[in-house]
Structures are given as structure tokens and as C-alpha cells.
Amino acid sequence: MATTKAPEDAYTAAPFVPEHADLAALREAAAGCRGCPLHRDATQTVFGAGNTGARVMLVGEQPGDQEDRRGRPFVGPAGKLLDRALSEAGIDPGETYVTNAVKHFKFTRSGPGKRRIHKAPSLRETAACGPWLAAELRLVEPELIVVLGATAGKALLGSSFRVSEVRGTVLEEEIHGRRERLVPTVHPSSVLRSDDREAAYRGLVSDLKVAARSLA
Ligand code: URA
């Protein structure tokens, strides 16, 4: 296990990312990441998972409460909804690689039982975690990236990203030295929060169908 330490104010995962590592070695190294303060309160690092030779990589925001406890991305309610939407759009969830822009759960405690409430990561925390996402992209080499919501969009495409402007379209961008194809859509959690859940879900499936067609 690497013993690299970053200064408290370094705010980057870069010193923790091993060179020439495969995904298993990356995952192991990420477990010890101290590249930003989010590791302090989270249970564990939640690294990407799934098919390492996937044609489709899905990028979310950050692990939620259940992901933090179980150590795998998208195993909670948002993940279940995402799997259903993917299947309906013609993408086998079991064939994808799933990860997050930020690998630790950020939360505040609130209410009588001091429940852990999701808090969106800052741009600084997202940027600090970027070297892990870059390494995953380099190793998985997906044909298509499905960008789930604003945090993933900003991590990959810059801070001016607006999901409402580009959702359901196929983008081509240079990211970390590679020409990538991306289809942005909303985050599945936003579907769960929506007043009109059915319409929001239909919108997600429709965007994912764009992704499915662009692979065919
Ligand atoms: N939301 C995310 O963005 N990622 C997860 O892994 C779970 C919920």
C-alpha cells in the first residue's frame, strides 16, 4: 500500500494515483486517498465498478449513503432506477462500467436521528478527485460516456456545463488527451426528487436511447 501523504491544503488525488496500474491496483490505491478532506467523514472510498472492458462508462456525482456503507457505486435507490432506465433504453447495465466524479460521500448530519444528508461536492473537491476519473477513462477506454448530471458534466466538460442545454445529444470532446463521445443526461436522483416522476423518468430513458442508438 502506498504511503504517499499530500499536504492538508494540496487538494489533489494526483500523488495517490499509481502510474502503470490496472483497475484493481487503482482501486486499492484509491482506498488510501487523502487528496481532499472528504475521506475524513466517509466510511470508505467508493471506486468505479462493473465491466472493465465496457463500451459504455456511466459517470455519476458521488456515492450516496448506501454506496458509502457498501463500497460500490449506484447500489441505492438512484442506482436501481438507473438500471431500470438503462434496460428500457436497450443498454444492459451488466455490460457497463459505473463510476462517480467524486469517490467519497459528502454529507451533513440533520434531524433528531442525525441522518446523513447528501451534500453536493464543491468544484474544488470534484477537481481534486479528477485524477482518478482520468485514470479510469484511460484504462476502460469506453466508446461512450453517459454523463449523469451537473457534477459529472462539470468534472468532464468544465464548469460552464449545463445539463439542460445538452442533455440527450451526442458530444465529442477532447478529455485528458483522448477524443471522447459523451451523452449527458440528468442524474437519476433528480428523477426521484421530481414532482412529476413519470415524466422525468421518461426523459431519462429518452436520453439513454440516444446513447444506445449512438452505439449501434
Ligand atoms: N448517486 C451517484 O451519483 N452515485 C452513486 O454511486 C449513487 C448515487
Side-chain angles (χ1 to χ4, degrees):
M1 173 69 65
T3 54
T4 323
K5 279 208 179 85
E8 285 297 291
D9 59 354
Y11 260 95
T12 175
F16 298 90
V17 181
E19 277 179 46
H20 315 300
D22 62 10
L23 278 163
L26 272 190
R27 178 177 292 106
E28 205 182 312
C33 186
R34 304 287 180 264
C36 83
L38 293 186
H39 70 89
R40 291 191 199 134
D41 294 330
T43 308
Q44 59 191 316
T45 305
V46 180
F47 202 69
N51 181 349
T52 54
R55 296 176 71 194
V56 183
M57 181 188 276
L58 297 132
V59 183
E61 183 194 75
Q62 63 165 342
D65 179 77
Q66 293 198 30
E67 288 79 13
D68 172 74
R69 295 176 201 276
R70 291 167 60 185
R72 283 182 72 84
F74 283 105
V75 290
K80 292 201 172 65
L81 183 136
L82 178 62
D83 282 357
R84 187 155 64 86
L86 282 167
S87 300
E88 212 172 311
I91 298 173
D92 179 351
E95 291 292 315
T96 64
Y97 181 88
V98 190
T99 193
N100 285 302
V102 172
K103 309 295 197 251
H104 282 111
F105 179 37
K106 181 176 178 181
F107 60 92
T108 50
R109 289 193 182 271
S110 165
K114 292 274 177 216
R115 249 174 17 100
R116 305 195 304 172
I117 310 294
H118 160 275
K119 206 167 169 216
S122 67
L123 278 179
R124 194 175 181 212
E125 287 150 355
T126 307
C129 216
W132 293 116
L133 186 56
E136 288 175 293
L137 276 171
R138 205 165 47 238
L139 285 166
V140 178
E141 294 189 303
E143 280 172 46
L144 185 73
I145 304 168
V146 175
V147 181
L148 299 168
T151 299
K154 288 179 201 294
L156 290 162
L157 297 160
S159 59
S160 61
F161 175 85
R162 298 284 174 275
V163 70
S164 56
E165 290 169 7
V166 285
R167 63 177 294 183
T169 63
V170 183
L171 307 176
E172 281 208 26
E173 295 290 336
E174 173 108 0
I175 299 174
H176 303 302
R178 247 174 59 93
R179 195 93 198 134
E180 303 286 6
R181 266 180 342 121
L182 311 99
V183 173
T185 186
V186 293
H187 193 283
S189 297
S190 75
V191 175
L192 292 171
R193 286 194 308 267
S194 171
D195 291 338
D196 188 346
R197 236 196 235 203
E198 187 51 32
Y201 178 74
R202 288 282 133 229
L204 172 64
V205 172
S206 156
D207 293 346
L208 293 175
K209 281 185 178 165
V210 173
R213 276 199 298 275
S214 91
L215 284 168

